[in-house]
Amino acid sequence: MAKKNTVLIRFLSTAETGFFYVHKKNPKKTLKKLSFRKYDPRVRKHVVFNEAKIK
């Protein structure tokens, strides 16, 4: 059986709230770490979310 192309990654808030989003990523195509500006409901603002490993 073939290995999956996508891996689940966690986007952790830079506002230090502990809030995160989970997303799929193809590590063979995307080599750099991703960062997105998304909504953090705990601070009620849009903040930058950086890629982190799922534990």
Side-chain angles (χ1 to χ4, degrees):
M1 188 180 242
K3 200 174 188 184
K4 289 185 181 180
N5 285 340
T6 58
V7 180
L8 288 177
I9 56 171
R10 181 167 80 165
F11 287 101
L12 193 58
S13 174
T14 56
E16 303 290 328
T17 59
F19 187 79
F20 63 91
Y21 287 98
V22 176
H23 200 320
K24 289 182 184 177
K25 172 184 166 180
N26 186 345
K28 292 180 182 177
K29 289 186 178 182
T30 310
L31 301 175
K32 292 192 287 184
K33 293 214 174 213
L34 298 175
S35 64
F36 290 109
R37 187 171 157 85
K38 293 178 78 75
Y39 183 73
D40 188 346
R42 294 188 182 165
V43 290
R44 292 193 239 158
K45 290 182 182 178
H46 278 83
V47 295
V48 176
F49 281 77
N50 292 323
E51 179 180 334
K53 275 189 170 181
I54 291 182
K55 294 180 183 177

